[in-house]
Amino acid sequence: MSELTQYIKQEIAGLEPIEALRFLAGHFPAEIVFSTSFGWEDQVITHMIFTNNLPIKVFTLETGRIFPETYYVWNRTMEMYRKPIFAYYPDHSLVEAMVNQKGPSSFYESVENRKECCGIRKIEPLKRALAGNKCWVTGIRADQSANRQDMDNLEWDEVNNILKYHPIYSWTLDDVKAYIKKYNVPYNTLHDRGFPSIGCQPCTRAVQEGEDFRAGRWWWEDQSKKECGLHAVK
């Protein structure tokens, strides 16, 4: 653990998420961002940032394949809080080359193709969104998947060379739902239809009772390590 990570960890220890976010925004002025995909968790953090006027830039990755319901909650969120949410799109030349060569649904054919699509539509835009920043806030929770239980609420992301903070890392899903209900936070209605984790439309389905939280993501693949590469796991 770097000295910076250790210092920040000590400073925010015991703080509520809002106060920790306030500290980080003050420590990294104009160099802290929050990535939202408009899921339950991200809507909670967006509410914290916007209602407290925290100087944290909120952005999203517009892959071009998201659900209509996601566009709705995106628009509703901007209307409600009257704050900007910055969109980062894929490089059109990379998308065109991939689709021209392999078709619009190549991600179903192999893990390599799926990772290529995620790389073009998510990873490359993410790197642009993070460029020039020193702290990245996310909506990761420990119980979202087995892979994420080995993380920490504050960590150094070696891949992106940035400090990452997960404000509600220790929250349960019930905690998240209770917060949304208490503060009337707009949320994606797909959650009410069995989608605990919502990504691109072709790659996400509802989960069945008893299935893992992320079983609906890339369901045709091996069920282990269901990540797209945005968040490196140990």
Side-chain angles (χ1 to χ4, degrees):
M1 182 180 294
S2 69
E3 292 184 6
L4 173 62
T5 306
Q6 183 63 42
Y7 166 72
I8 299 295
K9 195 173 187 65
Q10 291 174 350
E11 290 296 314
I12 66 174
L15 294 181
E16 292 298 316
I18 292 174
E19 294 310 311
L21 287 169
R22 195 186 309 279
F23 172 83
L24 290 167
H27 191 81
F28 300 108
E31 295 176 317
I32 178 171
V33 292
F34 167 56
S35 57
T36 178
S37 59
F38 304 101
W40 270 320
E41 293 82 4
D42 293 340
Q43 288 298 98
V44 166
I45 298 171
T46 295
H47 179 83
M48 292 178 179
I49 291 172
F50 285 166
T51 57
N52 289 276
N53 291 310
L54 300 179
I56 299 174
K57 179 180 178 180
V58 179
F59 75 88
T60 190
L61 304 178
E62 217 299 32
T63 65
R65 304 302 295 267
I66 62 180
F67 285 88
E69 292 85 350
T70 303
Y71 285 115
Y72 177 83
V73 75
W74 178 352
N75 197 62
R76 180 74 185 93
T77 301
M78 292 183 67
E79 288 177 346
M80 179 172 177
Y81 300 103
R82 299 197 176 280
K83 302 280 189 179
I85 296 174
F86 297 88
Y88 285 82
Y89 288 75
D91 182 325
H92 70 88
S93 64
L94 298 177
V95 175
E96 289 169 1
M98 175 180 65
V99 174
N100 289 343
Q101 179 183 3
K102 299 181 179 180
S105 301
S106 61
F107 43 84
Y108 290 130
E109 297 172 4
S110 69
V111 174
E112 290 72 25
N113 281 355
R114 196 269 292 172
K115 288 184 176 181
E116 177 187 28
C117 189
C118 287
I120 290 172
R121 295 184 185 274
K122 294 182 178 182
I123 307 305
E124 188 276 330
L126 174 69
K127 290 187 180 301
R128 283 188 275 118
L130 297 181
N133 291 288
K134 294 183 178 178
C135 186
W136 173 19
V137 180
T138 88
I140 285 177
R141 291 188 300 105
D143 66 3
Q144 287 174 329
S145 71
N147 298 317
R148 296 181 175 185
Q149 292 173 6
D150 293 330
M151 300 169 70
D152 201 348
N153 73 327
L154 185 79
E155 57 185 351
W156 180 254
D157 184 332
E158 294 184 359
V159 174
N160 294 295
N161 197 36
I162 196 169
L163 190 69
K164 286 174 72 173
Y165 175 54
H166 318 302
I168 59 173
Y169 181 74
S170 62
W171 286 28
T172 65
L173 182 55
D174 286 340
D175 292 333
V176 172
K177 291 180 178 180
Y179 188 98
I180 286 174
K181 182 177 181 180
K182 179 178 180 180
Y183 294 103
N184 195 29
V185 178
Y187 70 94
N188 196 321
T189 56
L190 287 173
H191 289 310
D192 295 330
R193 290 150 52 190
F195 288 77
S197 177
I198 304 168
C200 291
Q201 188 169 12
C203 300
T204 312
R205 65 161 174 80
V207 301
Q208 305 301 314
E209 185 175 353
E211 283 189 311
D212 180 77
F213 184 92
R214 290 176 67 81
R217 304 293 293 276
W218 313 294
W219 67 91
W220 63 92
E221 294 181 6
D222 185 303
Q223 293 300 298
S224 64
K225 293 189 178 300
K226 301 296 283 292
E227 303 285 349
C228 63
L230 291 179
H231 302 290
V233 292
K234 299 175 182 177

